[in-house]
Amino acid sequence: MSLGDQLSPEQRIQFVIKALAPGTILHLFCEFITPPKHKFLVLGCVEPDPILFAINSRVSPYIVARQHLAQCQVMLYQSDHSFLKYDSFLDCTTAIRDFGLDDLTAQLVADFSNIKSRLTEADREAVIKAVSRSVTLEERVKKLVLQSLARPPL
């Protein structure tokens, strides 16, 4: 019997809401990807609306060829995140805003195992630097993410 089986629906929701903190790594079903599939994402901020960044197994040649984009890729080591199959890259050039808080909560309440882990402190610092350098993120988005990630994790 899993933890989720022992909790009431209200307790399940509270568990998920507590887990949703900046720097949390999630495994979510993404309909905006072609074809739609599950993808690892990092929560950059929760309020006023969730902002996430995608984890990719490789960096596209387009990004590699453009220094201003390449400097916004953060290496996430498989040795720090056992759910990753290999070292991967967090893309801090594009803010994913396709999920509302209700969407996140519904996916995670259905399966707690999709809450994977949190960024390490070194990862967190690298993300702050990458987001700060980004020329592709809106200033408002950068400010929200930087303020959220600057707070110590609970």
Side-chain angles (χ1 to χ4, degrees):
M1 182 179 290
S2 71
L3 170 65
D5 296 335
Q6 300 172 28
L7 300 176
S8 71
E10 296 79 24
Q11 290 172 318
R12 291 175 66 83
I13 291 169
Q14 287 307 310
F15 177 85
V16 166
I17 288 172
K18 224 178 236 190
L20 290 177
T24 301
I25 303 173
L26 307 170
H27 193 234
L28 299 173
F29 187 74
C30 300
E31 292 185 18
F32 56 89
I33 295 172
T34 306
K37 64 179 180 177
H38 278 86
K39 188 143 186 78
F40 292 113
L41 304 168
V42 173
L43 194 54
C45 80
V46 181
E47 297 175 346
D49 295 304
I51 297 173
L52 299 109
F53 296 100
I55 297 175
N56 299 306
S57 56
R58 60 182 180 79
V59 179
S60 78
Y62 178 87
I63 289 175
V64 170
R66 288 159 180 81
Q67 179 60 29
H68 69 285
L69 300 176
Q71 68 183 358
C72 297
Q73 305 300 304
V74 175
M75 174 74 85
L76 298 179
Y77 295 98
Q78 191 274 335
S79 59
D80 292 331
H81 305 286
S82 61
F83 57 89
L84 293 174
K85 291 182 182 168
Y86 16 72
D87 293 343
S88 298
F89 301 87
L90 180 62
D91 181 5
C92 296
T93 65
T94 305
I96 298 170
R97 304 182 76 183
D98 296 57
F99 296 97
L101 193 54
D102 290 343
D103 299 325
L104 291 179
T105 304
Q107 281 199 51
L108 299 171
V109 163
D111 187 353
F112 286 172
S113 72
N114 286 326
I115 302 169
K116 292 303 185 185
S117 72
R118 294 229 171 126
L119 294 174
T120 66
E121 190 56 37
D123 294 339
R124 192 181 194 85
E125 291 300 321
V127 171
I128 288 170
K129 287 178 186 173
V131 169
S132 297
R133 290 189 293 246
S134 177
V135 296
T136 57
L137 296 174
E138 298 171 31
E139 286 302 316
R140 179 178 169 279
V141 167
K142 284 171 69 166
K143 183 177 178 181
L144 287 168
V145 171
L146 292 172
Q147 288 174 344
S148 295
L149 287 173
R151 291 185 213 122
L154 300 174

